[in-house]
Amino acid sequence: MKKNAFAVLTIATMAALLLGGVASAQTTINFWYAGTAGQDKYFNGAIKRYEAKNPNIKIKNTILPSPNPEIEARLNASKLSGTFPDVFAAYLIFIGTRGAQGDFASMEEYFAKWEEKGDLLGSAVDMGKFKGKLVGLGYAPAPLMQLYRKDYFAEAGLDPNKPPTTWEELHAYARKLVKRDSAGTVIRTGFDIPTMDAANTFIEPFMRGNGSPLIDEINFAPTWTDEGAIGALDFIVKMWNEKLSVPFDFEQWSEHPITKGHGSMGAVIGPGLSQAFDKNPDFKKKIGFIPPMGPKRPYTFCGYRLFTIGSDSKVKDAAWEFIKFMMSKDEMWQRFKDEMIPPTRESLTEKFIQDDPEYNKAIAEHVKYGKGKAITPWTGIASRYMEKAYQEALNGRKTARQALVDADRDLRAELKRLGFMQ
């Protein structure tokens, strides 16, 4: 009798384990993203929402410091220890640098089967491709916004509701808008032209808008000596030589003439612009937006953060399901409400615009026509040579053509030394 009771108890226990085993088994996804303790409101909320819907999934989130070198150090250490994240919210530059090292798993098959893939903005997908293969999905665009002061336009006899739409108009308007004192010193810029850190975001939209790809992202080769790149740099140098601007560092958003109040037209990256509006709400009322432009095609710069899957992850399927959740319409809209991050779905564009018609329409347009840094393993190296060429041309040490020819030559030589080119 005791034997039978024990057998029944054992069978019942095993059945309970078998039936409940799937329900009680838990998968852990290691999720890393850059930020600070004060910037994780959205991610903490998203993780709670996902875990509530998926009780078998545990999201272990790690907040990384924002600077690239510190993130690189953490990622390198995690590779050595076998703890590389399952899902990593990567800066755009990592798609090239870490993609070349094989750190990200391909999303091609997952993406092909996703029924909602057609709703994503083209840039959100294209920015996540390394050598043409999808390894990331863009969730946080940061476009470079071209601005103008409506009150200064009216003062100069320009229509405050009609920004320039061509390079010719941009140049002509800048000449009308610039103000100088009796000694000829610029006291209000016509168009802001940076003298430092211009290669990362400022000059590239002009070159691409003039028809240059800048870098062949499939064959990994610079194309800086084409007429598109040279013509764009010539155009900027010409305006600088006419003393339409003052020196400033492009990476210091608070130091831009346009944000300090003595600039008529200029460019500021989206997050920097939001900070300026938060500090001075009246400033926003005076601002209009210049549409993306170019002689060949409209272009602006747009950085991105992207969700990626670690190539060594043991839970790739679960990681993809988490990314799909993070790329859902509800989560994109929640990111916008919590962090002012523009959504990257076509179906949310109109709703996004209606939330702040003039500002958000401009953001949507800049995201649509935006492109970030080239996806290569050596983009950071290329930026140094482009910056040198830019400053040589701006300071008159070389012509735009010679500066770019020399930079192209020197970059290729270094890439060969480092083994990136034959």
Side-chain angles (χ1 to χ4, degrees):
M1 183 72 180
K2 286 182 181 178
K3 234 180 212 184
N4 289 341
F6 178 75
V8 169
L9 179 62
T10 301
I11 291 169
T13 302
M14 290 178 66
L17 288 171
L18 287 171
L19 291 171
V22 174
S24 61
Q26 191 172 70
T27 297
T28 298
I29 297 173
N30 288 302
F31 172 43
W32 289 16
Y33 58 92
T36 64
Q39 296 175 327
D40 57 357
K41 173 186 174 183
Y42 165 73
F43 281 122
N44 283 337
I47 288 169
K48 289 177 182 178
R49 289 188 290 274
Y50 189 74
E51 289 179 341
K53 292 181 178 180
N54 301 272
N56 300 336
I57 304 293
K58 172 67 177 175
I59 307 295
K60 184 180 179 182
N61 62 309
T62 298
I63 306 173
L64 301 174
S66 296
N68 280 9
E70 294 184 45
I71 297 176
E72 288 279 16
R74 292 285 295 273
L75 292 174
N76 289 336
S78 71
K79 283 187 69 175
L80 292 173
S81 62
T83 58
F84 198 85
D86 300 301
V87 177
F88 172 45
Y91 292 161
L92 180 58
I93 194 170
F94 291 136
I95 300 299
T97 57
R98 311 303 303 198
Q101 298 178 45
D103 289 347
F104 302 139
S106 171
M107 293 184 180
E108 293 283 336
E109 291 188 15
Y110 291 124
F111 189 70
K113 297 175 183 176
W114 188 25
E115 293 180 354
E116 298 178 39
K117 61 180 180 293
D119 194 28
L120 291 188
L121 297 178
S123 59
V125 179
D126 292 341
M127 289 296 95
K129 292 181 179 179
F130 178 76
K131 281 196 168 183
K133 300 294 184 182
L134 187 68
V135 296
L137 287 180
Y139 74 90
L144 185 70
M145 306 292 291
Q146 294 280 1
L147 323 174
Y148 71 96
R149 284 286 296 264
K150 292 181 178 181
D151 51 342
Y152 294 163
F153 265 50
E155 182 185 315
L158 298 169
D159 188 334
N161 296 312
K162 290 185 178 180
T165 58
T166 66
W167 284 11
E168 291 76 17
E169 288 182 346
L170 181 71
H171 193 181
Y173 288 13
R175 286 170 167 167
K176 289 185 177 182
L177 289 160
V178 68
K179 291 185 77 171
R180 303 180 181 90
D181 63 17
S182 58
T185 302
V186 174
I187 57 175
R188 186 178 79 195
T189 66
F191 177 67
D192 295 348
I193 299 173
T195 48
M196 292 181 62
D197 290 324
N200 282 332
T201 51
F202 174 76
I203 192 61
E204 288 195 0
F206 286 95
M207 292 178 166
R208 289 194 176 114
N210 203 33
S212 176
L214 287 181
I215 291 176
D216 179 340
E217 295 182 49
I218 299 298
N219 298 308
F220 288 167
T223 62
W224 294 351
T225 58
D226 62 30
E227 293 305 312
I230 293 169
L233 187 52
D234 260 332
F235 174 69
I236 295 300
V237 169
K238 182 178 181 180
M239 287 203 293
W240 173 258
N241 288 339
E242 292 180 14
K243 297 183 179 180
L244 301 176
S245 186
V246 295
F248 70 98
D249 186 335
F250 196 69
E251 294 296 330
Q252 301 300 317
W253 310 122
S254 62
E255 295 303 309
H256 284 225
I258 188 75
T259 57
K260 291 183 75 173
H262 59 271
S264 302
M265 297 188 292
V268 181
I269 206 78
L273 184 59
S274 296
Q275 292 173 17
F277 286 166
D278 289 343
K279 290 180 181 178
N280 185 4
D282 288 337
F283 175 61
K284 187 175 181 180
K285 299 174 184 176
K286 301 174 181 177
I287 289 296
F289 299 94
I290 302 171
M293 66 176 76
K296 303 293 184 182
R297 50 194 171 183
Y299 248 118
T300 189
F301 181 88
C302 186
Y304 255 103
R305 293 196 187 191
L306 308 96
F307 292 124
T308 64
I309 299 174
S311 58
D312 293 331
S313 172
K314 302 295 190 296
V315 292
K316 290 186 179 69
D317 290 352
W320 169 250
E321 291 301 318
F322 177 58
I323 290 175
K324 280 203 306 183
F325 170 80
M326 298 296 277
M327 297 296 289
S328 68
K329 290 174 67 172
D330 288 345
E331 288 305 309
M332 280 194 187
W333 192 250
Q334 192 63 50
R335 275 198 294 275
F336 167 61
K337 302 305 291 184
D338 287 350
E339 302 290 343
M340 298 301 291
I341 295 174
T344 57
R345 277 181 176 256
E346 295 280 3
S347 59
L348 288 176
T349 299
E350 190 57 38
K351 183 179 179 181
F352 172 65
I353 292 172
Q354 289 175 2
D355 192 79
D356 189 340
E358 184 176 10
Y359 182 34
N360 287 356
K361 181 180 179 181
I363 291 177
E365 190 172 33
H366 283 69
V367 170
K368 179 180 179 179
Y369 291 110
K371 177 173 170 51
K373 300 296 291 183
I375 309 300
T376 77
W378 39 262
T379 296
I381 298 172
S383 291
R384 295 203 314 268
Y385 285 98
M386 179 60 78
E387 181 68 23
K388 181 183 178 184
Y390 178 86
Q391 293 195 17
E392 287 175 338
L394 208 67
N395 294 327
R397 293 196 295 271
K398 295 179 181 178
T399 64
R401 181 180 297 277
Q402 192 61 55
L404 288 172
V405 166
D406 291 351
D408 184 279
R409 177 201 62 211
D410 294 344
L411 172 60
R412 288 172 182 269
E414 179 163 353
L415 294 181
K416 288 178 181 178
R417 285 196 302 272
L418 296 174
F420 288 119
M421 293 185 73
Q422 297 299 317

